[in-house]
Amino acid sequence: MLIAIWTVTLLLGLLWSLASWGLHALLSMDPGPLGDLKPMIDQIPHAAVIEQWIPGWREMLQLAVDATQWALGWVGSAAPVIAWGIWAVGLALLVGTALVLTLVVRLIRRKPATPVAA
């Protein structure tokens, strides 16, 4: 059981590291190319149908592109610190959970019965 706990913890730790690397790559990307999305909004197919279901969706989408571009420009310089911090907190939680589960397994595990001396 202990091997399973630590194997799962190792695999989740590897996935968490990959996700943190992806977060760093996303936060440190250049926000300039996001400006190229604005002309593409007018070329979305079936825009009239979308307009019937979600009025003002073009303006909301343009606002979302602007907000994303601003946020990436603002956060970009702090990307390494943010990614390392989130990675460290997540990995500490994973290892802490594995340690607690290990302690639970050790406490629940039956101890061998000692023979009674006559």
Side-chain angles (χ1 to χ4, degrees):
M1 187 61 147
L2 295 178
I3 293 173
I5 290 171
W6 287 101
T7 302
V8 169
T9 302
L10 177 67
L11 292 174
L12 289 175
L14 291 174
L15 287 173
W16 185 249
S17 297
L18 182 64
S20 297
W21 173 79
L23 175 68
H24 177 269
L26 179 69
L27 291 179
S28 61
M29 79 179 227
D30 181 31
L34 288 176
D36 298 340
L37 293 177
K38 283 187 178 180
M40 292 180 169
I41 292 173
D42 294 329
Q43 299 173 0
I44 293 178
H46 308 292
V49 175
I50 298 172
E51 187 69 35
Q52 288 176 352
W53 285 92
I54 307 170
W57 67 273
R58 283 189 178 122
E59 292 79 17
M60 286 189 291
L61 194 55
Q62 288 176 350
L63 183 64
V65 168
D66 287 338
T68 304
Q69 193 172 14
W70 174 81
L72 283 177
W74 181 71
V75 173
S77 61
V81 175
I82 293 170
W84 276 107
I86 290 174
W87 175 81
V89 168
L91 200 62
L93 287 173
L94 279 173
V95 171
T97 303
L99 287 172
V100 168
L101 289 175
T102 300
L103 180 64
V104 168
V105 167
R106 296 258 178 170
L107 291 175
I108 291 176
R109 191 178 279 175
R110 292 186 179 182
K111 295 182 176 146
T114 56
V116 178

